[in-house]
Amino acid sequence: MENYSFETKAIRAQLERSENNEHSVPLYLTSSFVFDEAEDMRAAFNDEDDTFIYSRYTNPNTNEFVNKVCLLEGAEVGVSTASGMAAIFTTFMALLKSGDHVISCSSVFGATHAIFTKYFPKWNITHSYFNTNNVEGIEKLIKPETKFIYLETPTNPAIELIDLEFVSGIAKKHNLLLIVDNCFATPYLQQPIKLGADLVVHSATKYMDGQGRVLGGVVVGKKELINDIYLFGRLTGPSMSPFNAWVLSKSLETLALRMDRHCDNALYIAQKLEGHAELENVSYPFLPSHPHHQIAKKQMKAGGGILTITLKGGYEAAKNFLNKLQMIKISPNLGDARSIVTHPASSTHCKLSEAERLNVGITPGLIRVSIGLENKEDILKDLLQALK
Ligand SMILES: *Cc1c(COP(=O)(O)O)cnc(C)c1O
């Protein structure tokens, strides 16, 4: 499969046919597997072969999904989990011990921020945040007990970019791991491992599913790290369900096609909305006005499906705008075929203090728009009528 292009891998890297010669991959809804002989079960438990044992460990469907993501990200191996947060938490818990320190971009997914601030102190793990506009400052944050640098790019929800090659250079120089949450870009637009990341985590719930149906997560990367993460997950149980893996493997077949359309639609809408009288700002990585446009062009194939708009009238104007939308729905999700709007300050990031929010660019008038696969003129029409 290695020599095929992205689209072909996403479609053709599937499970071997069973003796039934099915064309579409079957769903293996089984919690455990049977052994012909006592000796076979002993061998499986002693890691002498990789036969299936129990679906908390592995399952044909989760294996298929993980193998596909590895091929698409250019990773050695991986582990699937029940959600994106399960992938992130399992990775942290498998790699960290009491006394360790981590460095993260300050603009990080709300629940990840909560792990750093609410739970890490309980286990004597400390963290430092760097600002997206000061990646040079990362070096000053490094301590002897620092274990890894963690980041998202583009960031959620402010859509800022971090130069992956630059940060991986810092990580290598100081012998730190680099872990990247690649949820917003997907491997179709950006492959952090090729730019020096050691591990990539995903919420498969978003673009990988692409239709807002199932939760899922995956972490892929270096074998010796994944081994620890796999073992931790196998013992503590954040496993992905075979059904979700089956859905997600099929979804990946159309990832390239969907991302092309998401990106085309989002760029078109960003261009049309830029300069609108009611808007203070439109932020989209592939708009030349974006402060990190050069980084975006360097490491991303296209700008992604998310843009933000900032209304001049603050929260009141944002609320009116959301309530006036006719087709587009208010929801916390993103990466769906349907366009979605979210007001981060009052929802996904409401647990942060006002100062913390402003520090990561979440103003009261900021709205995150996840541009869907509907006709771009219909999306634009709905946004424009709500801005009136
Ligand atoms: C949604 C999301 C997560 C969490 O994923 P779940 O599947 O909801 O657990 C993590 N990181 C980013 C960037 C996300 O958008």
Side-chain angles (χ1 to χ4, degrees):
M1 272 291 136
E2 231 100 300
N3 296 327
Y4 285 104
S5 63
F6 187 97
E7 293 83 350
T8 310
K9 285 176 191 163
I11 292 168
R12 293 286 174 177
Q14 59 181 40
L15 278 182
E16 303 265 319
R17 288 202 181 93
S18 78
E19 67 273 21
N20 293 322
N21 259 343
E22 69 280 344
H23 193 195
S24 172
V25 169
L27 170 56
Y28 289 86
L29 281 183
T30 178
S31 44
S32 72
F33 298 82
V34 294
F35 298 90
D36 289 337
E37 312 261 350
E39 169 58 22
D40 298 339
M41 185 152 157
R42 187 207 60 78
F45 268 87
N46 285 280
D47 303 323
E48 288 166 22
D49 55 41
D50 52 7
T51 48
F52 296 104
I53 302 174
Y54 190 60
S55 288
R56 170 153 44 77
Y57 308 176
T58 52
N59 169 285
N61 293 116
T62 60
N63 268 14
E64 178 187 52
F65 171 65
V66 169
N67 289 342
K68 227 180 231 195
V69 177
C70 286
L71 273 169
L72 301 183
E73 286 284 5
E76 279 181 90
V77 280
V79 178
S80 61
T81 54
S83 68
M85 285 322 301
I88 293 167
F89 187 68
T90 305
T91 300
F92 289 170
M93 287 300 99
L95 300 180
L96 294 170
K97 62 177 188 320
S98 171
D100 282 345
H101 170 253
V102 304
I103 297 172
S104 165
C105 60
S106 54
S107 182
V108 75
F109 188 68
T112 312
H113 168 76
I115 294 176
F116 292 146
T117 53
K118 195 170 152 73
Y119 295 103
F120 271 12
K122 289 208 321 194
W123 305 311
N124 188 32
I125 298 166
T126 53
H127 74 282
S128 305
Y129 279 143
F130 69 88
N131 192 291
T132 347
N133 289 312
N134 182 21
V135 282
E136 292 79 12
I138 292 175
E139 281 198 290
K140 290 206 192 77
L141 302 173
I142 297 172
K143 304 175 185 188
E145 59 272 26
T146 305
K147 179 85 190 185
F148 60 68
I149 302 173
Y150 180 87
L151 64 86
E152 296 172 17
T153 179
T155 61
N156 178 25
I159 317 295
E160 295 173 319
L161 288 107
I162 299 171
D163 188 328
L164 285 167
E165 237 175 338
F166 181 83
V167 177
S168 85
I170 297 180
K172 295 237 153 36
K173 183 173 154 202
H174 295 273
N175 233 337
L176 305 175
L177 300 174
L178 174 62
I179 307 175
V180 176
D181 180 336
N182 201 27
C183 170
F184 270 43
T186 80
Y188 183 61
L189 301 182
Q190 158 180 295
Q191 293 163 351
I193 289 174
K194 296 205 174 122
L195 299 173
D198 298 283
L199 291 170
V200 166
V201 292
H202 274 285
S203 168
T205 315
K206 312 293 169 54
Y207 287 106
M208 286 197 178
D209 175 29
Q211 297 182 55
R213 298 164 296 186
V214 298
L215 292 171
V218 62
V219 46
V220 299
K222 293 226 169 85
K223 196 163 182 178
E224 70 270 19
L225 301 171
I226 292 291
N227 279 348
D228 288 345
I229 298 165
Y230 164 71
L231 194 64
F232 188 84
R234 165 175 165 155
L235 294 170
T236 58
S239 325
M240 173 177 278
S241 91
F243 177 75
N244 287 8
W246 179 83
V247 170
L248 289 165
S249 290
K250 295 215 179 285
S251 302
L252 286 177
E253 295 183 4
T254 57
L255 180 67
L257 207 55
R258 288 185 284 109
M259 290 315 290
D260 278 340
R261 179 63 74 86
H262 279 297
C263 295
D264 282 353
N265 281 0
L267 178 61
Y268 178 76
I269 297 208
Q271 285 167 340
K272 290 287 179 187
L273 291 183
E274 194 171 34
H276 190 284
E278 300 297 323
L279 296 176
E280 199 174 286
N281 185 42
V282 174
S283 180
Y284 182 70
F286 267 46
L287 281 184
S289 61
H290 191 288
H292 303 143
H293 181 58
Q294 290 314 321
I295 305 175
K297 294 279 266 199
K298 187 171 95 167
Q299 66 193 23
M300 292 175 78
K301 188 183 165 101
I306 319 267
L307 56 93
T308 63
I309 55 176
T310 308
L311 280 97
K312 281 181 179 161
Y315 184 36
E316 273 311 306
K319 211 161 59 179
N320 281 336
F321 167 77
L322 293 178
N323 292 338
K324 270 164 72 183
L325 287 167
Q326 289 174 351
M327 175 183 81
I328 304 172
K329 295 286 179 273
I330 309 170
S331 174
N333 199 18
L334 59 92
D336 195 293
R338 283 162 286 268
S339 296
I340 289 168
V341 286
T342 312
H343 182 250
S346 68
S347 61
T348 52
H349 291 70
C350 70
K351 297 278 170 9
L352 273 66
S353 70
E354 175 93 30
E356 283 175 321
R357 275 199 295 272
L358 292 177
N359 184 40
V360 293
I362 305 174
T363 56
L366 180 91
I367 289 170
R368 183 182 75 196
V369 192
S370 169
I371 301 292
L373 305 178
E374 304 97 337
N375 184 291
K376 61 190 175 191
E377 301 297 347
D378 290 334
I379 305 172
L380 182 65
K381 213 160 89 186
D382 198 18
L383 295 169
L384 287 176
Q385 65 79 23
L387 278 173
K388 267 207 189 115

